[in-house]
Amino acid sequence: MKPEPGRAVLLTGPRLAIREFHHTPGDVDALHAVFGDPETARYLPFEPRDRETCADQIELYIEQAEADPRTAYRLAVTVLVEDDPEYAAPIGTAVLGLGEHRSATIGYALRRDTWGRGYASEITALLCEFAFDALGLHRLEARVDPENAASVRVLTKAGFQSEGRIRHDLCLRGTWYDSLLFSLLEHERVAPAGERR
Ligand SMILES: CC(C)(COP(=O)(O)OP(=O)(O)OC[C@H]1O[C@@H](n2cnc3c(N)ncnc32)[C@H](O)[C@@H]1OP(=O)(O)O)[C@@H](O)C(=O)NCCC(=O)NCCS
């Protein structure tokens, strides 16, 4: 069912929750721990961000959440805390940016000390479920740095197919970078292990 306009998103998986960002010092610090880390930002389409920029970003995310129609879901990822998924500290971000013709671009980033636990795969599964089931979308795409083997693996495991290489997709500090383009159509979804679709 499509979420009502202005309604806060809360997605929960076996180990993670995905919720709206709050403009609190805790959420700003948490976002800065992800976007301020050069090792994490290396594969993101922007330079490492300072704390003030992260605070501004959260303000923007909240404005986007209140827009009607809403076209951007920039959400906080937390470890699932049974009694209070709304306020656990974020360990990363999950993004869904709506396009035309029932399409969206997905993205994710995690704090470095949480890599390698399967969290990005869980985020991708939750974003796919939200996009296809709640928003009724038909096509999801993701753009990945060709060097980002972990993200290519996450997408491939989720059933995304390669559509090739976008040459000079973005320009950072005067240098052009290519991206790999991946997509998943609604009928191609891969069921999480142990579930039948
Ligand atoms: C990409 C990122 C989100 C992955 O998060 P994660 O929680 O560690 O990912 P998962 O554990 O779900 O899965 C990673 C998969 O890639 C594999 N992998 C990790 N590093 C790899 C490497 N260097 N080469 C090949 N495979 C690799 C893992 O083994 C795992 O596959 P498996 O489940 O078959 O073992 C995380 O590294 C990150 O935040 N990176 C910086 C931001 C970023 O790149 N965002 C994506 C932009 S498109």
Side-chain angles (χ1 to χ4, degrees), residues 16-174:
L16 300 177
I18 298 181
R19 62 154 168 87
E20 305 289 350
F21 270 103
H22 307 302
H23 208 288
T24 59
D27 273 18
V28 174
D29 286 340
L31 186 62
H32 184 225
V34 181
F35 286 169
D37 177 0
E39 193 59 31
T40 301
R42 183 172 150 207
Y43 293 132
L44 297 175
F46 48 77
E47 299 294 334
R49 288 175 168 164
D50 60 21
R51 194 178 182 284
E52 200 184 329
T53 307
C54 291
D56 292 345
Q57 285 289 304
I58 290 183
E59 247 173 61
L60 173 71
Y61 301 167
I62 292 169
E63 271 170 33
Q64 290 174 333
E66 287 163 357
D68 183 17
R70 182 172 186 178
T71 56
Y73 294 83
R74 294 178 186 275
L75 303 164
V77 177
T78 73
V79 172
L80 188 60
V81 178
E82 287 293 342
D83 40 350
D84 200 358
E86 266 298 297
Y87 283 90
I91 56 164
T93 64
V95 181
L96 194 70
L98 268 52
E100 293 187 331
H101 308 289
R102 292 167 56 210
S103 71
T105 301
I106 70 158
Y108 37 70
L110 287 163
R111 207 179 60 212
R112 201 176 352 150
D113 62 301
T114 68
W115 293 0
R117 301 179 191 171
Y119 285 168
S121 301
E122 187 170 326
I123 295 167
T124 303
L126 287 169
L127 286 177
C128 288
E129 197 177 304
F130 178 62
F132 292 130
D133 296 340
L135 299 180
L137 301 186
H138 178 65
R139 171 190 160 90
L140 294 182
E141 66 175 51
R143 291 173 183 221
V144 187
D145 184 310
E147 307 282 309
N148 193 349
S151 190
V152 168
R153 175 88 186 119
V154 167
L155 292 167
T156 308
K157 275 197 304 179
F160 279 71
Q161 294 189 25
S162 168
E163 292 192 349
R165 191 170 181 120
I166 305 173
R167 297 183 307 145
H168 287 199
D169 189 32
L170 51 116
C171 185
L172 291 176
R173 283 201 191 149

